[in-house]
Amino acid sequence: GSEIEMAKILLAEDEALTALALQELLADYGHQVEIVSTGAKVLAAVAADPPEVILMDIGLAGPMNGLEAARQVRASNPIPIVFMTGYADKKYMDEAALLSKVYVTKPMGIEDVVKAIADVLSLPVPPA
């Protein structure tokens, strides 16, 4: 079979069940996923061991939302970011669009997420 590209992904998601489900599904595709729940932890993780891509929930726990975390990451690092947004976050999408061309809306299917990751990394999209 064809080799599926493995990416090192930082997943910023403060809903534990969502995060764990995504981590498991992405692992099935061969991706390696580290979960963080706050903007501060995103910055710490990027500083310690930069991922190849960040899956960023716009609504994060703590004082820093995903957009602010993305801005701070981008200030020092060109890591591609995929935003994940719920319907309530629509007002943030214009701002998100300045930081990343790629986003997925919740509730999202794993295919959407995998395709978005492939898009930002310019990887071939694995067959479903």
Side-chain angles (χ1 to χ4, degrees), residues 112-126:
D112 300 331
V113 178
V114 169
K115 183 180 177 315
I117 291 166
D119 281 352
V120 294
L121 292 177
S122 309
L123 298 175
V125 178

Side-chain angles (χ1 to χ4, degrees), residues 32-115:
Q32 181 191 335
V33 182
E34 179 186 351
I35 298 172
V36 292
S37 58
T38 66
K41 287 179 179 168
V42 169
L43 302 179
V46 166
D49 187 14
E52 287 166 86
V53 62
I54 300 174
L55 275 179
M56 184 85 79
D57 190 13
I58 290 182
L60 289 176
M64 192 191 309
N65 72 12
L67 289 172
E68 183 53 39
R71 266 197 298 272
Q72 295 200 26
V73 167
R74 274 297 164 72
S76 58
N77 218 309
I79 298 169
I81 295 170
V82 174
F83 286 108
M84 301 181 293
T85 169
Y87 183 69
D89 294 331
K90 280 283 185 272
K91 63 176 186 293
Y92 293 125
M93 288 322 298
D94 296 341
E95 206 177 334
L98 301 173
L99 292 158
S100 172
K101 295 285 166 270
V102 184
Y103 66 93
V104 285
T105 31
K106 295 174 164 184
M108 60 217 173
I110 185 62
E111 294 79 17
D112 300 331
V113 178
V114 169
K115 183 180 177 315

